[in-house]
Structures are given as structure tokens and as C-alpha cells.
Amino acid sequence: MTRRVVVVGGGIAGLAAAHRLLREPGVEVRVLEAGAAPGGALATERVDGCLLERGPDCWLATKPAGIELCRALGLEAALIGTVPENRKSFVVHRGRLHPVPEGFYLMAPGSLRTLARSGLFSWCGRFRMAMDLLIPARRGGGDESLAAFVRRRLGREALERLAQPMIAGITTADPEMLSMSASMPQFLEMEREHGSLIRAMSRRKPAAGTSGPRYGMFASLAGGMGQLVDALSGALGESLRCGTRATVARRDGGGWTVGTGAGEVAADALIVALPAPAASRLLAAEHPALAERLAAIRFASVVTAHLAWREADAPLPAAMGFVVPAVEDRTTVAASFTSRKFPGRAPAGISLIRVFAGGALRPGVAALPDDALLDGLRGDLRDLLGIGAAPLFARVNRHAEAMPQYDVGHLARVAEIERLAAERPGLALAGASYRGVGMPDCVAGGIAAAEQILASPPA
């Protein structure tokens, strides 16, 4: 007997869920995507020979789900890593670019030697960070914010000058509210196992099964992130329905009925792969308590801008980019030297930069008109990189309420959401709102949702 599953949401989590379901005999899948094209934030375009990413331009290669999906889709030959000679970054301090200290992993120093050599911190700041070796591990006490964790182990300078900007470049979050257990559990594990981040880093070895030096820490595709979306869309074929907005979902007998502008769709099971606020609206009539918990997850808005210059007008250092601490009070949160980061992203002789703005700490910046935003970003690039020439082109992409904020207590809230969702047979949730915002996390969550449905008894 055929089992019908509806996936609401054609972002990467929904596409990965549908791809997993279609590998199972006897399963019929329909993916309902409100937009004109699938992929959500993952989209790639070319302008004057430059490859521009609307959303993320890469993923953590140490998380296997992304690379495994690419291999399953026949994209292994298209996998690329960052340019080896450019695998370093900068952080802004007092209006100047400083190299991120060698041996640091996000906020944790690799050894006392690398800490002593860093010019980013004062001698008092370095001494305070070295105290990590003597501070006992925290026992119990529940979840903790990233800011509280870093101040406790490494001190205020480490938080303001390195941890906050590095983490903001990933999560766009306020460190005073960001949950350590939900966003950076690896550092909690270091503290538990070794009693010290410095001690843990000095003993750190690559995890088994990671990608190794082929990709470095980050991987992408030669044709951009949109290449993954195109491959998934091709594999799904007629199962994917774009331009179809789901407005309501309700239990109907032993199955589900999903209402759309084009009529109702019946299914035996339902995977909701939407951002939490949209999932809340979809399920509000069917499960008010679940909808209330979903709506409580906060989101932040971000803006990205691509700018291109002749290389003679904008020579870039041999690096992947820079991050900007909030205490620097600039428009820019981070910048990626796209033409240096991955091969084939811009024609020879062109410097391509992608700049990030907004986020939880600078919500007003994300609301600026394009002209005012670009003026601020170009002012930062002039001050920090000496780029005074007008760009060949500038493209702005806005992502309103796009980044889920994993506030302290997030995992407990997600556990409650999952408990409430389990009260409705044949319902699973997936997406960046729950257990990771990166592409591999969303892929893994989509696959987990599909397997949850497959493991549940048929209606």
C-alpha cells in the first residue's frame, strides 16, 4: 500500500527529507513550497562572471551530513574547499585588521604559546585567558549564555574582542542571550572532559571520519550552493510543487489534510519544514499549545551585500575575510573575501567581497534603505581595507526574520516542542529553528524527520 507524505517547505531541510523519503519503496511524496523556486536561503546567481550566494556560501566540512548528501546526489566531483594559502582571517580592533591568532578555535587558544604571541589582547587580557588552566569546571547549574561562559573561563577581553564577533559571524546572535548548550556544545564538552579550554585544545585531534585537508574546515560546490538545490529538485521531479503556499494543516481521520490556495492535499503523514513562526501559523488551529511554543522562538534579520571592484582598485589580503566586534560600532558585522575564499568565484582581475550587516545586536542596520546601508558598508571597507573606488556593481540581499535565535534554555524549549508534536500521530518538524542553523544541521534534521515518519506505524 502506498504511503503519502506531504512536506511543507522546500528549503534544504524539506528537500533533504523528501529525498530520503523517496528512497523508500511504497512512499509517495509531495513537497509544497510557497516561493517560486525551492531552496529557501540557498540560492546562487551570476553577475558579470561573478558567482553570488544569496544565503550561505559554504558549510562546515566536519559535519558529515552535507558532504554525504552531495555524494548521494552525484556531486562529489563538484565539492571544493577553501583556497589553502588563504585560510586565515582577521578581526577588527581599534579600527585596524588584526590576524585571528594562529591556533585559536573560534574563542579558545590552542596553547599558552599562541596566546602569548597574540597582539589582539593586552597583557592583562592574555593573563586572564591563561587563568583558564586554573579555573575549575562548572558543575550543574543548567544552561548558560555564551557571554557568561566566556567571561567565566577567559575574561571580558576574550568575549569582546574575539568570541562575540566570531560567533556573531555564524549566528548573528546576542552573546548575552545565546545558549551555549544549543550553539557551542563542543566547548562545554572541552570543559567537562579536560577542565580547561586551553588544555583541551592542546590535546585536540581531528575527529574520525571528518573531511581532512581536502576541504579544510569549510566546503562548498563549484557551482555554488544553488547546485545542491538544483540536484535535489531534479531528483524530486514532479514531487516538488513550487508556488503552492500551505495555509493550514489539521488531522483528518487517521491522516492529515493540508489547505492551500489551490485546494486541499490529503496525506498519511506530514513534515513541517518551515521556520518556527510559519510552522506556528500552519498548526495553530490543530494544536494551539504547540503553535504557542513555536511562535516563542525569536528571529533576527540580516542583510548581505556583494560588491565587486577591479583588483587594482581593491587589492585584498591573502585571507578569507574579517569579523567586526560590536564594540567597534560599525555597520559591518563581517566580510568575506569571496574571490579569495573559493576558486572560480570571480574572473581574473576582480575582487569580490560579501559583507554582512544587521543581526540581533544591530537590528536597525538591517532596516536601512539600500543607499544608506551601502554607504555605511563602503565606509567600513574604505577605513579597514583602503578601498575608496566606486564598485563595479553592488547587490543587496535582505533576509527578514531569517536567523533563529537559540536563547538560553533553547534545547529545553525544543524538547517541549517535540513532545507536543508527538501528540499528533504522523507529524514531524524540521529546519534551522531547532537543532542547528548550518546546512548540514538542516539536512540531518530533515533526514531525521523523514526517518521518524518511516518508523511510525502507518495510519
Side-chain angles (χ1 to χ4, degrees):
M1 185 177 74
T2 300
R3 192 173 188 188
R4 298 167 300 169
V5 182
V6 166
V7 178
V8 179
I12 189 62
L15 297 178
H19 181 257
R20 171 65 185 91
L21 290 167
L22 284 177
R23 291 164 53 195
E24 202 72 20
V27 177
E28 177 186 295
V29 180
R30 185 172 296 184
V31 181
L32 307 180
E33 165 55 37
L42 271 62
T44 305
E45 64 174 323
R46 286 196 176 269
V47 175
D48 295 342
C50 295
L51 188 150
L52 312 184
E53 298 283 18
R54 178 174 172 80
D57 65 353
C58 60
W59 67 89
L60 274 174
T62 51
K63 293 187 175 184
I67 288 174
E68 288 174 359
L69 179 60
C70 289
R71 288 173 175 157
L73 291 164
L75 295 175
E76 185 167 11
L79 286 166
I80 59 173
T82 50
V83 177
E85 58 267 31
N86 296 338
R87 289 175 184 169
K88 65 178 180 181
S89 300
F90 296 95
V91 60
V92 177
H93 177 54
R94 294 182 178 174
R96 294 179 54 202
L97 296 181
H98 292 256
V100 173
E102 185 177 353
F104 271 64
Y105 171 49
L106 293 178
M107 58 192 173
S111 67
L112 288 176
R113 179 182 299 177
T114 60
L115 180 57
R117 290 176 176 173
S118 171
L120 181 60
F121 307 103
S122 69
W123 278 108
C124 288
R126 280 178 265 184
F127 178 78
R128 174 61 184 84
M129 294 176 76
M131 291 292 291
D132 166 74
L133 287 163
L134 303 177
I135 294 170
R138 178 174 179 253
R139 303 296 179 189
D143 200 3
E144 181 178 23
S145 74
L146 181 130
F149 176 87
V150 177
R151 278 194 294 260
R152 178 170 60 79
R153 293 228 60 90
L154 302 169
R156 178 183 57 81
E157 271 193 26
L159 173 63
E160 292 183 354
R161 299 188 188 183
L162 193 61
Q164 180 274 319
M166 293 294 282
I167 303 307
I170 301 169
T171 67
T172 74
D174 179 348
E176 301 290 349
M177 301 183 73
L178 182 65
S179 161
M180 275 299 292
S181 60
S183 62
M184 297 288 150
Q186 66 270 41
F187 292 102
L188 297 176
E189 188 64 24
M190 288 181 190
E191 182 182 36
R192 279 192 296 267
E193 286 192 9
H194 301 281
S196 157
L197 302 185
I198 296 174
R199 192 175 299 118
M201 287 292 295
S202 68
R203 300 172 183 173
R204 198 164 180 253
K205 297 178 181 178
T210 60
S211 63
R214 177 178 174 187
Y215 310 118
M217 185 176 287
F218 301 102
S220 191
L221 290 161
M225 301 292 280
Q227 189 173 3
L228 175 59
V229 176
D230 291 343
L232 281 166
S233 300
L236 297 180
E238 293 184 359
S239 299
L240 175 60
R241 306 287 179 88
C242 291
T244 305
R245 182 179 297 278
T247 56
V248 64
R250 63 181 185 275
R251 287 284 294 169
D252 189 1
W256 288 85
T257 296
V258 179
T260 76
E264 294 186 336
V265 181
D268 300 305
L270 173 67
I271 295 177
V272 178
L274 297 169
S280 172
R281 292 189 292 271
L282 183 75
L283 296 167
E286 172 61 33
H287 201 324
L290 173 59
E292 181 183 359
R293 303 303 194 284
L294 290 166
I297 296 177
R298 297 188 311 114
F299 279 68
S301 299
V302 294
V303 183
T304 63
H306 291 90
L307 302 101
W309 290 265
R310 286 180 290 272
E311 193 170 16
D313 293 329
L316 298 176
M320 297 204 300
F322 63 83
V323 296
V324 184
V327 294
E328 294 287 318
D329 194 26
R330 290 188 175 270
T331 305
T332 302
V333 170
S336 180
F337 302 157
T338 305
S339 52
R340 295 282 195 187
K341 188 174 181 180
F342 288 106
R345 279 352 193 201
I350 297 296
S351 291
L352 180 63
I353 302 178
R354 186 162 75 141
V355 192
F356 302 79
L361 291 177
R362 301 299 300 274
V365 173
L368 289 173
D370 285 4
D371 288 349
L373 175 72
L374 288 171
D375 283 347
L377 297 178
R378 288 187 58 196
D380 289 343
L381 295 175
R382 182 180 60 249
D383 294 347
L384 299 171
L385 297 173
I387 302 175
L392 298 172
F393 68 80
R395 295 287 188 277
V396 174
N397 293 125
R398 297 183 178 274
H399 305 274
E401 300 295 312
M403 289 296 293
Q405 301 298 290
Y406 289 5
D407 292 343
V408 171
H410 178 77
L411 292 183
R413 285 188 287 274
V414 169
E416 175 66 4
I417 285 169
E418 291 171 343
R419 184 191 69 77
L420 291 169
E423 294 178 352
R424 298 297 187 268
L427 173 63
L429 304 174
S433 300
Y434 310 110
R435 298 186 181 273
V437 299
M439 184 274 278
D441 300 306
C442 293
V443 167
I447 292 171
E451 291 180 344
Q452 177 187 332
I453 293 300
L454 293 172
S456 63

